[in-house]
C-alpha cells in the first residue's frame, strides 16, 4: 500500500454530512450513510449522492469508503450495504481524506488551470515535505521502505502510464538510467496490457497516475502483478484504486487537480520520481556522496525557481497573442527536455485545439523539417546543458527555413536571444531537474493561447479528468 498522506496543511472532507465513497470496477460512488445527517431544502431527511470523483461534493462529505473489485454498494434511504460477487455482506472501511474546500475553489483565478499552474511552487514543496533535507543529507520516501531493496536490485524497471503521466515516466527513464544505472522501459498502459509483454518475476513496475483510477494503468499493473512483478504506485489521490493495488509507492501530496489538462500533477510526479531515482542511486553507489548532496540541494531550491519562472507570465501573454491563430506548432527538445517537448505539445492540443507535435530535436531532419516555413511556430527547449551546442544548431536550421522560434533558455543566455524571435528565461538548475522549470512557460503559453481563442480550458471538449473506462 502507498504511504499515508501526512500533509499538515490538509484535512478531510469537511461538513456536517458524512457521505461515503464506493467503487465498483473503475467507478467510484459517493453516498450519505447513517453516520450523520445532511438536511436538504424543505426537508430534514438523509440524502444520497453519487459521483465519480470526490471533488464535486467536497463541501458535503467527511469520510470515504472504497469498494474493492467485484463489490457492489446498495444504497437504500441513506443506508449502505456492500456485497461481494458471492452476495456476502462486507464491512465498510471508512477512510478520512486530506482535502480542504478551498483547494477546489478558484481562489480569485479565472480558471482552475491557471490557479494550478501558479500553485506549483507550493505543490512541489509539498511533494518534498518531510522527505528532503539537504543539510542533513536526508532523503526518504516512507512508502518505498519495505521494498527498497527490490527497487535497488532491479535489473529492469517498467513504467506504465497514460497521457501526461506517460511524459513524466519518460523523464523518469532518464533519471533512473542516468542516476541509478537501471534500464527502464516506458510503456503506454493501454498498449502494454494487450501486447503479451515479457514480465519476469522480480521486475519492478512503476505505475503513474494522478487520479489513481486510470483504467488502462490499473489493468496493466494487475497483469504485471499476476506475473510476479513488484508494483510501485505514484498517485495523487489517497486510497485510490492504483494506490491500493500497489505493493508500495508514494503519494504526490499535490492537492486536488481540477483542471482536466494536468499541470501541477506533472511537476509533482517528476519531483517524486526524481527522489526515487536519487534514493536508489545513493543506495547503489552509482552517484558519489557529493553528487547526492548536490542533487538534494538543487531539489530544495526548485520551488523558489519555479516561482521565478512564473514571473514570465506577462511576457508569455504577449507571445501568445502573436501565435494564437497558428494552425500548427512544433516542439523540440533533447535529453531530459525531449519529454517536455511532448508535454508542451500535448497541453496546446488539449486546451486550444491547435495541432502540435513534439519531437526529439535531432529527429527534426528526419521528417518534420519539411513542415517548417514562415507560418510555423517552433518551440525549442534549449537550456544550457550537455546538448546545448546541438540545440543551437537546430535553432539555426529552423531560422534558415524562416521558422518562428520561441526558445525556453537558461537565465542570462544572450546567444540564443540573438537567434530566436522570442526567448523565455528560466533559472539554472541541475540538468536532471530542468524539466521542472522548462515545462512552466509551455503550460502558460498553452493556457493563454487557449483563453485568447475562447476555449474552455478547464473542461476541454471530448476529454475527462480521469479516464476510468477503455
Amino acid at each position: 500500500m502507498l504511504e499515508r498522506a501526512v500533509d499538515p496543511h490538509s484535512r478531510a472532507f469537511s461538513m456536517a454530512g458524512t457521505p461515503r465513497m464506493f467503487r465498483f470496477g473503475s467507478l467510484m460512488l459517493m453516498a450519505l450513510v447513517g453516520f450523520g445527517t445532511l438536511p436538504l431544502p424543505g426537508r430534514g431527511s438523509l440524502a444520497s449522492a453519487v459521483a465519480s470523483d470526490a471533488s464535486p461534493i467536497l463541501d458535503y462529505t467527511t469520510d470515504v469508503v472504497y469498494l474493492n473489485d467485484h463489490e457492489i454498494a446498495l444504497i437504500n434511504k441513506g443506508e449502505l450495504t456492500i456485497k461481494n460477487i458471492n452476495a456476502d455482506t462486507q464491512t465498510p472501511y471508512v477512510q478520512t481524506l486530506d482535502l480542504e474546500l478551498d483547494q477546489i475553489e478558484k481562489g480569485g483565478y479565472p480558471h482552475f488551470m491557471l490557479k494550478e499552474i501558479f500553485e506549483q511552487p507550493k505543490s512541489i514543496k509539498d511533494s518534498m515535505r518531510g522527505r528532503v533535507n539537504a543539510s542533513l543529507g536526508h532523503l526518504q520516501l516512507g512508502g518505498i521502505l519495505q521494498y527498497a531493496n527490490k527497487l535497488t536490485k532491479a535489473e529492469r524497471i517498467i513504467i506504465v502510464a497514460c497521457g501526461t503521466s506517460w511524459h513524466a515516466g519518460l523523464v523518469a527513464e532518464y533519471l533512473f538510467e542516468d542516476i541509478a544505472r537501471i534500464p527502464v522501459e516506458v510503456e503506454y498502459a493501454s498498449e502494454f496490457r494487450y501486447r503479451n509483454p515479457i514480465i519476469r518475476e522480480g521486475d519492478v513496475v512503476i505505475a503513474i497516475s494522478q487520479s489513481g483510477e486510470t483504467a488502462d494503468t490499473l489493468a496493466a499493473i494487475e497483469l504485471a502483478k499476476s506475473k510476479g512483478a513488484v508494483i510501485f504506485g505514484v498517485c495523487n489521490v489517497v486510497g485510490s484504486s492504483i494506490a491500493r493495488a500497489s505493493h508500495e509507492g508514494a503519494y504526490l501530496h499535490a492537492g486536488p487537480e481540477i483542471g482536466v489538462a494536468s499541470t501541477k500533477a506533472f511537476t509533482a510526479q517528476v519531483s517524486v520520481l526524481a527522489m526515487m531515482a536519487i534514493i536508489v542511486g545513493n543506495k547503489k553507489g552509482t552517484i558519489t556522496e557529493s553528487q547526492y548532496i548536490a542533487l538534494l540541494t538543487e531539489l530544495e531550491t526548485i520551488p523558489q525557481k519555479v516561482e521565478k519562472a512564473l514571473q514570465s507570465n506577462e511576457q508569455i501573454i504577449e507571445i501568445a497573442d502573436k501565435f494564437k491563430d497558428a494552425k500548427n506548432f512544433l516542439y523540440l527538445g533533447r535529453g531530459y527536455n525531449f519529454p517536455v517537448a511532448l508535454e508542451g505539445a500535448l497541453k496546446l492540443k488539449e486546451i486550444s485545439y491547435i495541432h502540435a507535435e513534439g519531437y526529439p530535436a535531432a529527429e527534426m531532419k528526419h521528417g518534420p523539417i519539411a513542415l517548417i516555413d514562415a507560418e510555423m511556430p517552433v518551440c525549442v527547449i534549449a537550456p544550457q546543458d550537455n546538448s546545448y551546442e546541438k540545440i543551437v544548431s537546430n535553432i539555426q536550421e529552423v531560422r534558415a527555413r524562416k521558422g518562428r522560434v520561441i526558445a525556453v533558455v537558461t537565465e542570462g543566455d544572450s546567444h540564443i536571444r540573438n537567434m530566436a524571435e522570442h526567448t523565455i528565461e528560466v533559472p539554472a538548475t541541475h540538468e536532471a531537474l530542468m524539466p521542472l522549470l522548462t515545462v512552466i512557460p509551455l503550460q502558460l503559453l498553452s493556457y493563454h493561447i487557449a483563453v485568447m481563442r475562447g476555449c474552455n480550458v478547464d473542461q476541454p471538449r471530448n476529454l475527462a479528468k480521469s479516464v476510468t473506462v477503455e
Side-chain angles (χ1 to χ4, degrees):
M1 295 292 291
L2 296 180
E3 59 176 305
R4 292 185 61 84
V6 292
D7 185 352
H9 297 286
S10 59
R11 56 182 171 79
F13 290 159
S14 59
M15 227 178 143
T18 54
R20 303 291 189 256
M21 181 186 294
F22 313 102
R23 181 175 182 279
F24 181 63
S26 60
L27 176 67
M28 284 191 297
L29 306 176
M30 305 293 297
L32 274 171
V33 294
F35 294 89
T37 60
L38 176 65
L40 296 181
R43 49 190 274 205
S45 60
L46 204 60
S48 295
V50 179
S52 60
D53 189 89
S55 300
I57 54 175
L58 180 57
D59 53 343
Y60 302 118
T61 176
T62 56
D63 300 310
V64 299
V65 172
Y66 290 93
L67 283 188
N68 297 311
D69 286 337
H70 311 298
E71 290 182 344
I72 299 173
L74 306 174
I75 306 165
N76 182 24
K77 296 182 179 179
E79 294 184 359
L80 165 69
T81 304
I82 297 178
K83 293 182 179 290
N84 63 18
I85 201 168
N86 297 317
D88 299 323
T89 300
Q90 308 295 300
T91 301
Y93 170 67
V94 180
Q95 180 172 321
T96 299
L97 295 187
D98 293 322
L99 289 174
E100 293 185 0
L101 184 59
D102 61 3
Q103 291 180 298
I104 63 165
E105 296 176 338
K106 291 179 182 176
Y109 287 90
H111 299 96
F112 283 111
M113 183 178 179
L114 187 62
K115 174 177 180 269
E116 287 155 7
I117 290 172
F118 274 86
E119 282 179 342
Q120 287 175 109
K122 180 182 184 300
S123 58
I124 294 172
K125 188 173 183 178
D126 286 345
S127 76
M128 296 187 288
R129 188 186 303 276
R131 293 168 166 175
V132 182
N133 188 322
S135 62
L136 298 177
H138 171 82
L139 174 59
Q140 180 175 298
L141 290 172
I144 68 170
L145 288 176
Q146 185 178 346
Y147 285 83
N149 287 336
K150 295 280 189 182
L151 191 55
T152 303
K153 295 177 180 178
E155 295 184 3
R156 178 177 66 154
I157 293 173
I158 302 169
I159 296 176
V160 292
C162 301
T164 287
S165 296
W166 187 76
H167 297 155
L170 288 178
V171 177
E173 178 180 19
Y174 286 91
L175 288 165
F176 276 99
E177 292 191 346
D178 187 15
I179 296 172
R181 308 305 298 154
I182 301 174
V184 178
E185 298 174 16
V186 186
E187 302 272 3
Y188 284 112
S190 55
E191 290 296 315
F192 180 77
R193 57 185 292 206
Y194 287 116
R195 66 171 181 79
N196 193 23
I198 298 172
I199 305 170
R200 298 182 292 267
E201 189 170 347
D203 279 348
V204 168
V205 173
I206 298 177
I208 310 172
S209 169
Q210 188 282 138
S211 67
E213 300 293 341
T214 308
D216 285 320
T217 305
L218 187 60
I221 66 176
E222 293 294 354
L223 171 65
K225 278 176 72 175
S226 71
K227 295 181 180 294
V230 175
I231 311 298
F232 286 85
V234 177
C235 302
N236 194 34
V237 179
V238 176
S240 57
S241 299
I242 289 174
R244 290 179 289 120
S246 301
H247 292 109
E248 279 203 310
Y251 285 118
L252 304 181
H253 300 313
E257 187 177 64
I258 308 302
V260 167
S262 184
T263 52
K264 68 176 182 177
F266 173 79
T267 50
Q269 286 168 346
V270 172
S271 299
V272 168
L273 291 162
M275 286 186 273
M276 290 176 67
I278 294 167
I279 287 171
V280 175
N282 184 48
K283 287 182 177 294
K284 290 185 66 177
T286 51
I287 53 175
T288 64
E289 186 65 18
S290 61
Q291 289 173 322
Y292 173 69
I293 297 299
L295 283 165
L296 297 192
T297 301
E298 278 302 309
L299 265 176
E300 286 189 329
T301 68
I302 290 296
Q304 293 76 25
K305 290 181 177 180
V306 169
E307 196 161 356
K308 191 169 186 180
L310 288 166
Q311 294 174 6
S312 299
N313 186 50
E314 293 302 318
Q315 177 197 4
I316 293 169
I317 291 173
E318 295 176 5
I319 296 171
D321 188 53
K322 294 181 179 180
F323 294 100
K324 66 181 184 298
D325 297 319
K327 303 296 184 185
N328 301 282
F329 264 76
L330 186 63
Y331 289 74
L332 302 175
R334 283 178 177 259
Y336 279 99
N337 287 292
F338 160 53
V340 177
L342 295 177
E343 176 62 10
L346 177 62
K347 283 292 148 292
L348 192 69
K349 284 183 281 193
E350 283 180 313
I351 63 172
S352 75
Y353 318 139
I354 295 174
H355 173 254
E357 296 291 341
Y359 267 89
E363 286 295 300
M364 183 181 66
K365 290 182 285 189
H366 296 273
I369 198 169
L371 298 171
I372 297 174
D373 58 19
E375 301 300 318
M376 174 67 83
V378 182
C379 291
V380 185
I381 301 100
Q384 291 176 330
D385 57 17
N386 291 332
S387 302
Y388 183 73
E389 294 303 322
K390 296 292 185 181
I391 206 80
V392 167
S393 176
N394 293 135
I395 292 173
Q396 291 170 334
E397 290 171 332
V398 172
R399 293 291 292 156
R401 290 155 182 84
K402 304 187 187 312
R404 305 182 66 182
V405 176
I406 305 165
V408 178
V409 302
T410 304
E411 193 174 26
D413 186 332
S414 58
H415 185 45
I416 292 180
R417 187 185 305 125
N418 295 327
M419 300 163 48
E421 184 173 341
H422 301 280
T423 56
I424 306 168
E425 295 186 353
V426 296
T429 190
H430 191 287
E431 183 175 3
L433 304 178
M434 187 57 80
L436 293 167
L437 303 180
T438 53
V439 76
I440 303 298
L442 305 186
Q443 294 172 346
L444 287 169
L445 182 64
S446 298
Y447 169 80
H448 289 300
I449 287 176
V451 170
M452 291 174 186
R453 289 167 64 90
C455 301
N456 185 342
V457 296
D458 284 337
Q459 294 178 306
R461 67 189 183 200
N462 306 329
L463 296 178
K465 182 61 183 172
S466 301
V467 183
T468 58
V469 294
E470 291 188 51

